[in-house]
Amino acid sequence: RLKDNPNSSIKLTGTKSNTGEEKDNTNLAKARANEVKNYLVKTWGIDASRIKTETRNLPQNASKVTVENGIAENRGVEI
């Protein structure tokens, strides 16, 4: 869609589970968002200025952090 719509931009939000080693590790969430951004730039040739990144502790619609699947679902990047 970004290639078909050259005037569009997106926001990538890196998230983390905020449990265990990820607790209070905002650099991890930032690194996740930057990896996706780098992929879009290098693989698809999207201009980096069209991709904004930010971080958040948990996703906007976080899964339960009391179960392993919920913890895993909270790790990632929202587009």
Side-chain angles (χ1 to χ4, degrees):
R1 289 184 183 174
L2 286 170
K3 289 192 76 75
D4 292 339
N5 300 287
N7 293 323
S8 296
S9 61
I10 61 170
K11 178 174 61 172
L12 303 173
T13 305
T15 63
K16 58 191 183 71
S17 66
N18 203 36
T19 60
E21 293 179 11
E22 294 190 13
K23 185 131 178 101
D24 301 323
N25 187 351
T26 55
N27 290 330
L28 179 59
K30 183 177 183 175
R32 286 179 174 148
N34 285 332
E35 280 298 315
V36 174
K37 180 177 180 174
N38 290 338
Y39 171 78
L40 293 171
V41 171
K42 291 177 183 177
T43 303
W44 292 98
I46 306 301
D47 187 329
S49 67
R50 297 173 55 202
I51 306 169
K52 306 295 180 216
T53 60
E54 66 178 31
T55 61
R56 184 181 352 218
N57 189 33
L58 291 168
Q60 187 171 2
N61 296 315
S63 296
K64 291 182 180 182
V65 295
T66 56
V67 294
E68 188 60 35
N69 285 345
I71 292 169
E73 288 175 0
N74 291 331
R75 298 175 181 138
V77 177
E78 298 176 326
I79 300 173

